[in-house]
Amino acid sequence: FDGWYTSIANRLRQEPYYAPHQLLLGVRTPLVFGGYRYAHLRMQATAHAGRRVPDVRAKVLAAGSATGPLLVAPAVLRLDLRLSLDGSTLWFQRWKLTRLTTFVGIDNLLNAKQPIAPIGSNQPFEPFFDASLDGLSFYGRRVYLGLSYRFI
């Protein structure tokens, strides 16, 4: 089996933008030492096989882009991690902050990036600009900190 097919203009063609093989694996576990829960660790891995993208060569020529378009998006593996301290952990129970959650995380730990810029990215207000053909992050790895409070 090599992907999904559809009828486009009465011709059988491979479905654009559909990765025939995808895998999502998520794990969330408490970090327990000496019988006390210190934190929660969450990891999410997403894998996509390579997939066909629509033929946009005419649009690229109109935009005057220096790079050619991708006709096949590459296979990608993305890994996200998050470490959180919430009200059920030892630290917040000690200070009676059971409704508070703090977290730190890393999105796109493996730093997978889009290999080319969007079509017409040098002129984003022109009619040939098209940012819809992205399959990955343009920015790569992101680190974040957060704080949330549960009112109810």
Side-chain angles (χ1 to χ4, degrees), residues 27-40:
V27 176
R28 183 176 188 264
T29 182
L31 300 177
V32 179
F33 300 107
Y36 294 104
R37 184 181 310 162
Y38 286 91
H40 295 278

PDB file of all heavy atoms in Angstrom, residues 27-40:
ATOM      1  N   VAL A  27       3.741   9.780  26.193  1.00  0.00           N
ATOM      2  CA  VAL A  27       3.985   9.152  27.495  1.00  0.00           C
ATOM      3  C   VAL A  27       3.962  10.243  28.554  1.00  0.00           C
ATOM      4  O   VAL A  27       4.575  11.291  28.381  1.00  0.00           O
ATOM      5  CB  VAL A  27       5.355   8.436  27.519  1.00  0.00           C
ATOM      6  CG1 VAL A  27       5.630   7.870  28.897  1.00  0.00           C
ATOM      7  CG2 VAL A  27       5.434   7.362  26.471  1.00  0.00           C
ATOM      8  N   ARG A  28       3.234  10.010  29.636  1.00  0.00           N
ATOM      9  CA  ARG A  28       3.224  10.928  30.778  1.00  0.00           C
ATOM     10  C   ARG A  28       3.430  10.089  32.023  1.00  0.00           C
ATOM     11  O   ARG A  28       2.696   9.125  32.260  1.00  0.00           O
ATOM     12  CB  ARG A  28       1.905  11.679  30.867  1.00  0.00           C
ATOM     13  CG  ARG A  28       1.885  12.693  31.997  1.00  0.00           C
ATOM     14  CD  ARG A  28       0.587  13.489  31.975  1.00  0.00           C
ATOM     15  NE  ARG A  28       0.613  14.576  32.905  1.00  0.00           N
ATOM     16  CZ  ARG A  28       0.114  14.532  34.140  1.00  0.00           C
ATOM     17  NH1 ARG A  28      -0.457  13.431  34.583  1.00  0.00           N
ATOM     18  NH2 ARG A  28       0.173  15.572  34.921  1.00  0.00           N
ATOM     19  N   THR A  29       4.415  10.450  32.807  1.00  0.00           N
ATOM     20  CA  THR A  29       4.724   9.653  33.988  1.00  0.00           C
ATOM     21  C   THR A  29       5.125  10.554  35.147  1.00  0.00           C
ATOM     22  O   THR A  29       5.764  11.594  34.940  1.00  0.00           O
ATOM     23  CB  THR A  29       5.855   8.646  33.690  1.00  0.00           C
ATOM     24  OG1 THR A  29       6.099   7.855  34.840  1.00  0.00           O
ATOM     25  CG2 THR A  29       7.137   9.347  33.269  1.00  0.00           C
ATOM     26  N   PRO A  30       4.754  10.187  36.376  1.00  0.00           N
ATOM     27  CA  PRO A  30       5.231  10.952  37.527  1.00  0.00           C
ATOM     28  C   PRO A  30       6.677  10.562  37.841  1.00  0.00           C
ATOM     29  O   PRO A  30       7.084   9.423  37.625  1.00  0.00           O
ATOM     30  CB  PRO A  30       4.282  10.534  38.653  1.00  0.00           C
ATOM     31  CG  PRO A  30       3.769   9.211  38.250  1.00  0.00           C
ATOM     32  CD  PRO A  30       3.777   9.177  36.749  1.00  0.00           C
ATOM     33  N   LEU A  31       7.429  11.519  38.328  1.00  0.00           N
ATOM     34  CA  LEU A  31       8.791  11.251  38.773  1.00  0.00           C
ATOM     35  C   LEU A  31       8.750  11.075  40.290  1.00  0.00           C
ATOM     36  O   LEU A  31       8.508  12.031  41.023  1.00  0.00           O
ATOM     37  CB  LEU A  31       9.729  12.393  38.379  1.00  0.00           C
ATOM     38  CG  LEU A  31       9.841  12.662  36.887  1.00  0.00           C
ATOM     39  CD1 LEU A  31      10.735  13.858  36.622  1.00  0.00           C
ATOM     40  CD2 LEU A  31      10.374  11.443  36.166  1.00  0.00           C
ATOM     41  N   VAL A  32       8.937   9.847  40.742  1.00  0.00           N
ATOM     42  CA  VAL A  32       8.801   9.495  42.153  1.00  0.00           C
ATOM     43  C   VAL A  32      10.155   9.047  42.683  1.00  0.00           C
ATOM     44  O   VAL A  32      10.809   8.187  42.093  1.00  0.00           O
ATOM     45  CB  VAL A  32       7.755   8.367  42.339  1.00  0.00           C
ATOM     46  CG1 VAL A  32       7.646   7.988  43.796  1.00  0.00           C
ATOM     47  CG2 VAL A  32       6.408   8.796  41.788  1.00  0.00           C
ATOM     48  N   PHE A  33      10.572   9.651  43.797  1.00  0.00           N
ATOM     49  CA  PHE A  33      11.806   9.258  44.472  1.00  0.00           C
ATOM     50  C   PHE A  33      11.511   9.139  45.958  1.00  0.00           C
ATOM     51  O   PHE A  33      10.984  10.061  46.564  1.00  0.00           O
ATOM     52  CB  PHE A  33      12.915  10.293  44.255  1.00  0.00           C
ATOM     53  CG  PHE A  33      13.266  10.497  42.822  1.00  0.00           C
ATOM     54  CD1 PHE A  33      12.881  11.649  42.170  1.00  0.00           C
ATOM     55  CD2 PHE A  33      13.968   9.536  42.118  1.00  0.00           C
ATOM     56  CE1 PHE A  33      13.195  11.843  40.845  1.00  0.00           C
ATOM     57  CE2 PHE A  33      14.293   9.723  40.791  1.00  0.00           C
ATOM     58  CZ  PHE A  33      13.904  10.873  40.159  1.00  0.00           C
ATOM     59  N   GLY A  34      11.830   8.003  46.544  1.00  0.00           N
ATOM     60  CA  GLY A  34      11.612   7.794  47.972  1.00  0.00           C
ATOM     61  C   GLY A  34      10.158   7.875  48.379  1.00  0.00           C
ATOM     62  O   GLY A  34       9.855   8.270  49.500  1.00  0.00           O
ATOM     63  N   GLY A  35       9.243   7.507  47.507  1.00  0.00           N
ATOM     64  CA  GLY A  35       7.827   7.514  47.824  1.00  0.00           C
ATOM     65  C   GLY A  35       7.144   8.859  47.643  1.00  0.00           C
ATOM     66  O   GLY A  35       5.948   8.988  47.891  1.00  0.00           O
ATOM     67  N   TYR A  36       7.881   9.892  47.249  1.00  0.00           N
ATOM     68  CA  TYR A  36       7.307  11.220  47.048  1.00  0.00           C
ATOM     69  C   TYR A  36       7.291  11.559  45.565  1.00  0.00           C
ATOM     70  O   TYR A  36       8.251  11.317  44.850  1.00  0.00           O
ATOM     71  CB  TYR A  36       8.106  12.287  47.799  1.00  0.00           C
ATOM     72  CG  TYR A  36       8.028  12.148  49.294  1.00  0.00           C
ATOM     73  CD1 TYR A  36       9.086  11.623  50.009  1.00  0.00           C
ATOM     74  CD2 TYR A  36       6.882  12.538  49.987  1.00  0.00           C
ATOM     75  CE1 TYR A  36       9.018  11.491  51.387  1.00  0.00           C
ATOM     76  CE2 TYR A  36       6.800  12.406  51.353  1.00  0.00           C
ATOM     77  CZ  TYR A  36       7.868  11.879  52.048  1.00  0.00           C
ATOM     78  OH  TYR A  36       7.789  11.745  53.399  1.00  0.00           O
ATOM     79  N   ARG A  37       6.200  12.160  45.124  1.00  0.00           N
ATOM     80  CA  ARG A  37       6.081  12.582  43.729  1.00  0.00           C
ATOM     81  C   ARG A  37       6.667  13.986  43.609  1.00  0.00           C
ATOM     82  O   ARG A  37       6.176  14.917  44.229  1.00  0.00           O
ATOM     83  CB  ARG A  37       4.618  12.590  43.311  1.00  0.00           C
ATOM     84  CG  ARG A  37       4.435  12.926  41.848  1.00  0.00           C
ATOM     85  CD  ARG A  37       3.003  12.969  41.432  1.00  0.00           C
ATOM     86  NE  ARG A  37       2.289  11.780  41.864  1.00  0.00           N
ATOM     87  CZ  ARG A  37       0.976  11.691  41.950  1.00  0.00           C
ATOM     88  NH1 ARG A  37       0.240  12.711  41.634  1.00  0.00           N
ATOM     89  NH2 ARG A  37       0.399  10.589  42.348  1.00  0.00           N
ATOM     90  N   TYR A  38       7.702  14.122  42.813  1.00  0.00           N
ATOM     91  CA  TYR A  38       8.378  15.406  42.661  1.00  0.00           C
ATOM     92  C   TYR A  38       7.907  16.194  41.445  1.00  0.00           C
ATOM     93  O   TYR A  38       7.888  17.418  41.469  1.00  0.00           O
ATOM     94  CB  TYR A  38       9.901  15.195  42.566  1.00  0.00           C
ATOM     95  CG  TYR A  38      10.498  14.839  43.897  1.00  0.00           C
ATOM     96  CD1 TYR A  38      10.639  13.529  44.293  1.00  0.00           C
ATOM     97  CD2 TYR A  38      10.906  15.834  44.766  1.00  0.00           C
ATOM     98  CE1 TYR A  38      11.178  13.209  45.516  1.00  0.00           C
ATOM     99  CE2 TYR A  38      11.452  15.533  45.999  1.00  0.00           C
ATOM    100  CZ  TYR A  38      11.578  14.207  46.374  1.00  0.00           C
ATOM    101  OH  TYR A  38      12.110  13.902  47.590  1.00  0.00           O
ATOM    102  N   ALA A  39       7.590  15.511  40.362  1.00  0.00           N
ATOM    103  CA  ALA A  39       7.205  16.211  39.140  1.00  0.00           C
ATOM    104  C   ALA A  39       6.532  15.230  38.186  1.00  0.00           C
ATOM    105  O   ALA A  39       6.450  14.026  38.467  1.00  0.00           O
ATOM    106  CB  ALA A  39       8.430  16.838  38.482  1.00  0.00           C
ATOM    107  N   HIS A  40       6.042  15.736  37.069  1.00  0.00           N
ATOM    108  CA  HIS A  40       5.491  14.920  35.981  1.00  0.00           C
ATOM    109  C   HIS A  40       6.328  15.199  34.744  1.00  0.00           C
ATOM    110  O   HIS A  40       6.658  16.345  34.445  1.00  0.00           O
ATOM    111  CB  HIS A  40       4.034  15.275  35.675  1.00  0.00           C
ATOM    112  CG  HIS A  40       3.109  14.976  36.790  1.00  0.00           C
ATOM    113  ND1 HIS A  40       2.603  13.723  37.022  1.00  0.00           N
ATOM    114  CD2 HIS A  40       2.597  15.765  37.756  1.00  0.00           C
ATOM    115  CE1 HIS A  40       1.823  13.753  38.078  1.00  0.00           C
ATOM    116  NE2 HIS A  40       1.793  14.991  38.540  1.00  0.00           N
TER     117      HIS A  40
END
